[in-house]
Amino acid sequence: MNGIMALFKSLWTYVQLMDFRGKRDEFYLQLARSIERRERLRTFLVEEQKIAKSKATRDSSREFAMRLMLAKLSQGQDFKISQILSEVMPNEDRLMLSAVDQSKDKPETLRSLVVAIQQQKQARSLIFKAMFPPFIMLPGVFVFSYVLATRSIPIIAQIAPPEVWTPYNAAVRNFSESVASHGFQTMGVMIALIAFFIYQMPRWKGKWRGRIERIPQGIGLLLFPVFPIALPLSIYRDFQVTLLLTSLAVLLKSGSTLTGAIDNLRSMAQPWMQWHLRRVSRHLYVAPTEYVEAFANGLLSPKLLARLATTIRNDTRFDRVLIELGTQGVAEVRKEIEKTSKGMNTLLMVASAACVLFLYVGQLSIAQSMTDALDPVNRMKQFR
């Protein structure tokens, strides 16, 4: 019972915070300005909670977030900004929030986080626009198949002679009947698998994960129909690496060593990133200046790794290298995602259209076969 109640509470908190998290970049900008004014964090949160609770400016999601952060502060411990904000922010912000704690210029680091969030939103928007049209067509395919299997085909099957069911017509009938019999269960299983995959992305680690992530996005797109997990894993890796590079650059500028910065970020990272950073740290402890080799174990894509090697040749300061790599890397990742999204859109639209065409032509073929089979019978009746 306690486990069920805890799950319900967790889900309710997630729902309550959805709107605030969607607009959290605005909060980070306001917090940056507050820090520049040398305002105490508690004062900032209290005043923002008052605004969120006011009838004229009511925002229940924001008020709920302020309440959670103030509750953390009221425990009387010397919490860092990252510990207070991570109560309400999504896990993907943890790396940059950890960098805020160590940064000499916290407002500027918060603004860097805002830029990263906005770029991620743009990339997600590209993916959504690419996936939306095909997923609008899929319910249409399901409805068409369901009606065909539950309305048209049963009637035809009762009166149709065996010669109507040619291999093609039988394939249409079998497909439609499968959709009618198992369509809802299949959709449920697919939704559950997708949810499980999303849940596991920041947690799954190991050599197979590393091998799959190293598959280029172009090849991942070609493999998508038979191996759909390669492409999203590659995109997820690139997303997280851009945040990591920016966070590392901030920590290095604040005076931290590279191994110290990595260890600091690892304590705030999720299991997948911890696994990658642990491998980087092990290499750097043995060979402190072999940056390219340390990051070559799957964390950086081949393009980013090549850019890292080129940039190091031109600039010996690793913090400046990471700043340049992070800035240009984000732009490259977005271009790659845009290109990949267009490819996914084309692939899914062609698959959906082919399915609709298969069913539509199949329905016409069955009707024509019925006409051809019954026409001699009708002529015999007229002759008699």
Side-chain angles (χ1 to χ4, degrees), residues 217 234-246 272 291-293 295-296 298-312 318 321-334 336:
Q217 288 187 12
S234 177
I235 292 173
Y236 176 82
R237 189 243 350 240
D238 289 347
F239 264 153
Q240 297 302 313
V241 165
T242 54
L243 287 177
L244 171 68
L245 293 175
T246 307
W272 169 82
Y291 304 123
V292 176
E293 293 79 2
F295 286 94
L299 183 58
L300 299 187
S301 68
K303 284 186 178 180
L304 283 178
L305 198 62
R307 184 175 288 279
L308 175 64
T310 300
T311 310
I312 286 175
F318 199 64
V321 169
L322 287 177
I323 291 170
E324 181 179 342
L325 188 64
T327 303
Q328 297 179 355
V330 168
E332 289 181 359
V333 166
R334 196 167 69 237
E336 191 72 21

Side-chain angles (χ1 to χ4, degrees), residues 14-127:
Y14 177 81
V15 171
Q16 285 280 83
L17 290 172
M18 279 182 66
D19 185 61
F20 174 75
R21 286 175 172 175
K23 298 182 290 189
R24 68 189 187 279
D25 49 341
E26 299 173 7
F27 173 82
Y28 287 135
L29 287 175
Q30 291 163 351
L31 179 59
R33 288 193 286 268
S34 172
I35 294 172
E36 287 174 334
R37 296 195 306 269
R38 300 184 184 280
E39 186 177 41
R40 293 178 62 207
L41 181 57
R42 180 182 293 278
T43 303
F44 169 73
L45 294 176
V46 168
E47 293 303 318
E48 289 300 314
Q49 186 184 38
K50 288 179 182 177
I51 295 171
K53 289 176 69 175
S54 172
K55 289 183 179 180
T57 54
R58 179 70 176 157
D59 188 335
S60 59
S61 182
R62 188 181 181 89
E63 191 274 328
F64 183 72
M66 299 302 124
R67 192 194 321 155
L68 288 179
M69 287 187 280
L70 283 168
K72 185 79 171 179
L73 269 174
S74 66
Q75 294 177 15
Q77 300 181 40
D78 187 20
F79 290 113
K80 297 177 181 178
I81 288 178
S82 61
Q83 292 172 312
I84 297 166
L85 268 60
S86 62
E87 290 287 302
V88 298
M89 299 304 181
N91 290 331
E92 62 202 58
D93 291 3
R94 285 186 175 183
L95 289 178
M96 282 293 288
L97 288 175
S98 177
V100 171
D101 291 331
Q102 306 295 325
S103 176
K104 294 179 180 178
D105 189 348
K106 288 180 171 53
E108 184 59 31
T109 306
L110 285 167
R111 291 189 178 98
S112 298
L113 175 55
V114 169
V115 171
I117 291 171
Q118 291 171 345
Q119 288 170 337
Q120 284 195 349
K121 284 182 177 180
Q122 291 173 3
R124 287 194 182 101
S125 177
L126 291 172
I127 295 172

